[in-house]
Amino acid sequence: MIFEIKVPMEEQVEVKNGKRKAVLRKVFPGYVMVKMIMTDESWYIIRNTRGVTGFVGPGSKPIPLTDEEVRSLGVEDIPVTLDAEVGDNVRVISGPLENFIGVIEEIYPDKQKVKVMVSMFGRDTPVELDYDQIQKI
């Protein structure tokens, strides 16, 4: 019932005595992310674990995060499915090129990115974008 327990960490550069050093720091100090199927039994186990004082959410029961919330927190990479293919017209829906329109030239499924030819200032410019930055027209 309990699949994964994570303490989200990020690498930060710290300068001590004039030397740069990479250090791992907790993204949300005091919080632990638990991926589980919510049943009375699994919730009882987590709730009665030493050190657990409460849950995020109204009342005493935890509220599951949506895929979008997990993605925006950077806790886990959830693969995004692409409903477009090479040659399709797409609109950029986020980032500095928002609302620009282009044509998909290449798709990189391993990196979850696409190469889009965007028309800027009368010229076609190749731009690499994430799957979630584009929308098929």
Side-chain angles (χ1 to χ4, degrees):
M1 295 294 197
I2 299 172
F3 303 111
E4 192 175 357
I5 298 173
K6 270 190 179 176
V7 177
M9 306 287 272
E10 68 180 352
E11 197 171 281
Q12 290 182 335
V13 177
E14 197 174 83
V15 179
K16 257 191 187 174
N17 301 331
K19 294 183 180 179
R20 296 171 72 98
K21 184 179 179 183
V23 187
L24 280 178
R25 297 228 187 273
K26 293 178 184 171
V27 178
F28 309 109
Y31 290 87
V32 176
M33 304 287 178
V34 180
K35 183 187 249 185
M36 65 184 221
I37 295 174
M38 184 73 165
T39 63
D40 288 338
E41 187 178 275
S42 64
W43 185 59
Y44 177 83
I45 291 169
I46 299 293
R47 190 181 67 221
N48 291 306
T49 300
R50 188 169 41 102
V52 174
T53 58
F55 298 93
V56 175
S60 59
K61 281 216 172 192
I63 295 178
L65 296 171
T66 65
D67 285 349
E68 187 58 43
E69 290 169 328
V70 171
R71 212 177 284 117
S72 68
L73 289 172
V75 177
E76 185 179 341
D77 290 330
I78 296 174
V80 177
T81 56
L82 183 65
D83 64 343
E85 40 192 65
V86 174
D88 285 352
N89 288 327
V90 293
R91 178 186 309 281
V92 181
I93 56 172
S94 69
L97 299 175
E98 189 172 348
N99 292 324
F100 276 83
I101 293 175
V103 178
I104 296 177
E105 291 285 311
E106 291 181 55
I107 299 174
Y108 310 111
D110 51 324
K111 296 193 292 184
Q112 298 252 312
K113 292 187 180 281
V114 291
K115 184 198 278 185
V116 177
M117 291 301 270
V118 177
S119 180
M120 284 192 279
F121 311 115
R123 264 189 191 169
D124 282 348
T125 307
V127 180
E128 197 170 278
L129 300 165
D130 293 328
Y131 282 3
D132 59 355
Q133 287 184 287
I134 62 168
Q135 180 180 47
K136 186 175 174 181
I137 299 177

